[in-house]
Amino acid sequence: MRVFFVSCEFLFLAFCFAAYMFSQKFISEYFPLSSLNEDAIKWAMIFPAGVAGWTFKEGVGVLFPSEKNEKALHEWPDYWKLKIHFDVGIMNSVLFSIPCFIVWILSALNTLVGAWVFVGFAGALSINAFSFYAAKIYLKSALIRLDGGKDSSSRGN
């Protein structure tokens, strides 16, 4: 549970909620949502669906980076921590997509609350996807260091 609540995604959602609560009047007065493009609203769900799909597809590379390194990764003593973060990240992809889908299917994107919920959860979904991207980079770097550069000497031959 700590991995879910102590995260950049959760902090971002809390910030969005607080910003909405404190600036609701200002936003509704100065940013009318009636001027939103109907085509943009119609296709808005592509963004969260695409980000969630990317996370599902590319996130597997965090647990299974390559055939030669999988054994070392899965035998790592702290592998269970990586697995928990992976599971929470996949769960976040689903949980953060659901409010976006509900707002979109109810055609509530042209309301202040609907737009705020959609943007907030799509933002949290983007942060979640970025964490998978960063994890893949850090993992690849760690596995290269673990490999000790064995591959780099054979590449030149």
Side-chain angles (χ1 to χ4, degrees), residues 25-105:
K25 242 182 208 178
F26 174 79
I27 292 172
S28 62
E29 187 176 327
Y30 292 105
F31 298 102
L33 294 172
S34 59
S35 64
L36 287 176
N37 184 325
E38 286 299 317
D39 281 339
I41 291 173
K42 180 177 159 184
W43 295 101
M45 194 57 204
I46 288 176
F47 177 73
V51 171
W54 180 89
T55 304
F56 291 140
K57 182 183 177 300
E58 295 295 322
V60 174
V62 172
L63 294 182
F64 303 100
S66 69
E67 285 185 31
K68 74 174 193 162
N69 292 324
E70 285 174 6
K71 183 173 169 81
L73 179 63
H74 288 257
E75 289 175 350
W76 177 43
D78 287 337
Y79 174 76
W80 65 274
K81 291 178 186 177
L82 177 66
K83 178 76 168 97
I84 288 172
H85 282 272
F86 174 84
D87 292 344
V88 168
I90 292 297
M91 181 187 69
N92 282 348
S93 290
V94 173
L95 290 177
F96 298 160
S97 297
I98 290 171
C100 293
F101 182 71
I102 290 171
V103 166
W104 179 73
I105 202 79

Side-chain angles (χ1 to χ4, degrees), residues 8 15 26 34 49 54 82 110 115 122 128-129 135 142 147:
C8 293
F15 172 76
F26 174 79
S34 59
W54 180 89
L82 177 66
N110 56 357
N128 185 58
D147 194 28

Side-chain angles (χ1 to χ4, degrees), residues 130-149:
F130 180 75
S131 69
F132 271 91
Y133 180 72
K136 283 182 72 172
I137 291 171
Y138 293 133
L139 189 61
K140 190 169 219 157
S141 176
L143 290 171
I144 287 171
R145 284 191 305 258
L146 178 68
D147 194 28

